[in-house]
Amino acid sequence: MSEGFGGEAMVRVRFETAKGSFEGALDESPIAKALGQHLPMTSTVMRWGEEIYFDVPVKMANTKPTRKVKVGDIAYWPEGPSLCIFFGKPPASNADEPRPASDVTIVGHTDASPEVLRAITEGATIRLQGSNVVARP
């Protein structure tokens, strides 16, 4: 574990697709912990502009609902229920900030480059699993 999000503990995860893999970190929120109990999980990628999202087997209400997200944020969207990864501007965005379709709860972050994420196409298989990679402080 590492620290992030204002000192909260972080758990490293790995996202794998045929187009490449990337690392991320989940916080210790109740939603992130519930997601962790279902690892590894496999799903199908959907795209909404410059946002990847995929269904997850966790059904919970938002714990910290927001529409303010940043590039690299990993968020839980209860309407899916899905996990979303923002790497640019989805259609609901304004100015230079990404904007989800409706409230999400931010549960983690990735430093994956937008180019890596942009290469992941709708309909691709994505696998989310725990990672042995040590998180950077």
Side-chain angles (χ1 to χ4, degrees):
M1 280 194 239
S2 182
E3 288 190 13
F5 294 128
E8 284 187 57
M10 304 290 288
V11 176
R12 297 298 295 180
V13 291
R14 182 173 181 83
F15 297 83
E16 297 180 350
T17 73
K19 295 285 187 177
S21 302
F22 60 96
E23 303 289 331
L26 298 180
D27 62 26
E28 286 290 312
S29 67
I31 294 171
K33 287 180 180 180
L35 290 165
Q37 292 175 354
H38 289 279
L39 296 179
M41 65 177 78
T42 302
S43 193
T44 301
V45 170
M46 293 170 273
R47 294 278 304 264
W48 192 53
E50 293 184 314
E51 172 190 334
I52 290 171
Y53 66 103
F54 55 91
D55 291 343
V56 294
V58 172
K59 183 79 174 153
M60 295 178 72
N62 274 325
T63 54
K64 294 183 181 178
T66 186
R67 293 196 68 201
K68 292 184 179 185
V69 299
K70 297 177 184 165
V71 169
D73 280 347
I74 300 170
Y76 175 77
W77 184 49
E79 292 180 36
S82 301
L83 207 56
C84 310
I85 304 167
F86 299 91
F87 60 93
K89 293 169 64 175
S93 299
N94 56 17
D96 292 328
E97 297 178 354
R99 180 82 59 188
S102 58
D103 285 349
V104 296
T105 294
I106 298 168
V107 296
H109 190 81
T110 181
D111 290 328
S113 76
E115 291 76 25
V116 167
L117 298 172
R118 207 169 276 123
I120 301 169
T121 57
E122 178 137 354
T125 297
I126 191 164
R127 180 176 169 85
L128 175 59
Q129 61 189 27
S131 174
N132 293 326
V133 175
V134 176
R136 288 176 270 162

